[in-house]
Every structure is written in C-alpha cells, then in structure tokens.
Amino acid sequence: KFLGKNIKYPTYFSGNGVQGKVIVQFVVNKDGSIVDPVVVRSVDPTWKGSSPRNQDHAEMETGKQRGKAVRVKYTVPVTFKLQ
C-alpha cells in the first residue's frame, strides 16, 4: 500500500515515453521506518530515484522473527507502464 500511494514517476520520463521495470531496495527498521533506499536497476541510467527517509508517513509493517520486531531488507520490482 505504501509504495502504491507514494511512488511518483518523473514528469520528464513519462513525457518522453520512458517505461519499464525499476528495482528498488530498502530496509524497514524495527520501528517501521524506512532507511537506506537504493535504486538497484532503473529504466534509464540517469534516474537514481528517491525515497522518503525517516519520515513519519514513511512507515511500513515491521518484520518479525520469533515474535520480536527485526530489521528487514526488501528488494522490490516496480513496473512503470504508460497508458
């Protein structure tokens, strides 16, 4: 849900018909905050992307291991398709 609400595709790329899959990686801390966002693969080499960092609205559900909150690293594919 968080990614769906917060992803913004750069106007330059949408205006020039650039589309495809972007691979993003980030860590969700024990408190649900998102840190260390990285664009691992982009649809265009000039786009590095950005992500909220340690902001109140940038929280996700924490990972659990044996009932305790733990840090979790996610790698997520995001497909941008223009209509």
Side-chain angles (χ1 to χ4, degrees):
K1 289 180 184 180
F2 172 81
L3 292 175
K5 290 180 184 178
N6 292 284
I7 289 178
K8 306 277 189 274
Y9 200 48
T11 307
Y12 171 80
F13 293 120
S14 62
N16 288 304
V18 178
Q19 57 185 358
K21 189 182 292 186
V22 175
I23 307 294
V24 294
Q25 198 171 67
F26 55 89
V27 174
V28 177
N29 279 326
K30 294 178 186 181
D31 65 358
S33 62
I34 298 170
V35 295
D36 303 330
V38 176
V39 175
V40 178
R41 189 177 85 196
S42 178
V43 294
D44 186 283
T46 63
W47 185 39
K48 300 296 181 195
S50 64
S51 176
R53 199 177 185 131
N54 294 328
Q55 297 176 9
D56 291 337
H57 69 279
E59 292 189 2
M60 295 183 68
E61 189 171 330
T62 60
K64 301 269 188 205
Q65 187 173 35
R66 288 182 234 141
K68 294 184 180 182
V70 294
R71 286 173 45 104
V72 178
K73 184 180 230 177
Y74 288 93
T75 302
V76 180
V78 179
T79 302
F80 290 96
K81 186 173 182 180
L82 301 172
Q83 308 243 356

